[in-house]
Amino acid sequence: MDTGDAFDPNCPTRLVLDRIGDKWSVLVLLSLIDGPMRFTALRGRINGVTPKVLTQTLRAMELDGLLTREVFAEVPPRVEYTLTDLGRSLHAPISVVARWAEENVHEILRHREKIS
Amino acid sequence: MDTGDAFDPNCPTRLVLDRIGDKWSVLVLLSLIDGPMRFTALRGRINGVTPKVLTQTLRAMELDGLLTREVFAEVPPRVEYTLTDLGRSLHAPISVVARWAEENVHEILRHREKIS
DNA sequence: CGGGATCCGCGACGATACTG
DNA sequence: CAGTATCGTCGCGGATCCCG
């Protein structure tokens, strides 16, 4: 498999990298792996995210078909977010990167802090 | 394996995601997989990158120990960039993501363009 | 409860010009 | 050849307030 098309700004890899490279999408995905969650529950679990940005992230992921948004006509209102099959399938690639990260973070930090 | 620590901003996964999520690092890595390259060669291969940004990217990757920078005292000057073992080992995780991207880009675009 | 509206800082990125 | 210097742009993300 050649990755030469990665040099095209519109290539698939660029697209996915832009998504998982953003600040919150991966955290949302990891949160929803265990099952559907409500907006406030996500807010609480993902420390530091503001409502606006969380909404933006969820909308973008919904647009890409990574998750679905379900509104329940109740009082108080309830909105649940659920990963789609597509969203769940992204978990494996992310885990590979995460595993590499955990195995090599010490060496990276060693270089970075010039302890070399 | 639990990925709960990903919610810490200083977690390994966040660190690596910030790196491969940036615009040029992955392209540099893919370019250097086949062997060392000079600055201008990289510029030519990676279409659209400016000298300043390429330098920034290379310096950051050097700091993280992903590649080495070797200066040859010649006229005209020659500088070669070479992936380290650490840098080469990052190729596999990236390839996994790239493969997922290629397999699923159509479904993502289908959702995104609301043809869905 | 689950957002939307608004404002804004900051850092990534780019364009252009110049240099050892 | 391999950068550096300077300036400008742009949009992500944060802060705050408001609403159905």
Side-chain angles (χ1 to χ4, degrees), chain A residues 55-100:
Chain A
T55 300
Q56 284 177 354
T57 303
L58 290 167
R59 292 284 192 275
M61 293 177 73
E62 185 188 10
L63 255 181
D64 285 356
L66 297 176
L67 53 79
T68 58
R69 177 175 181 271
E70 191 173 6
V71 183
F72 298 88
E74 308 172 351
V75 278
R78 181 163 60 103
V79 179
E80 277 194 353
Y81 294 91
T82 311
L83 284 187
T84 61
D85 289 342
L86 183 64
R88 265 187 296 275
S89 74
L90 184 51
H91 184 243
I94 287 178
S95 295
V96 172
V97 173
R99 199 166 306 119
W100 186 93

Side-chain angles (χ1 to χ4, degrees), chain A residues 96-111, chain B residues 12 15-16 64 66 85-87 89-90 93:
Chain A
V96 172
V97 173
R99 199 166 306 119
W100 186 93
E102 287 166 8
E103 290 169 358
N104 297 280
V105 62
H106 291 111
E107 188 165 352
I108 291 179
L109 290 179
R110 194 166 52 80
H111 279 96
Chain B
L15 191 114
V16 173
D64 285 357
L66 297 175
D85 289 342
L86 183 63
S89 75
L90 184 51

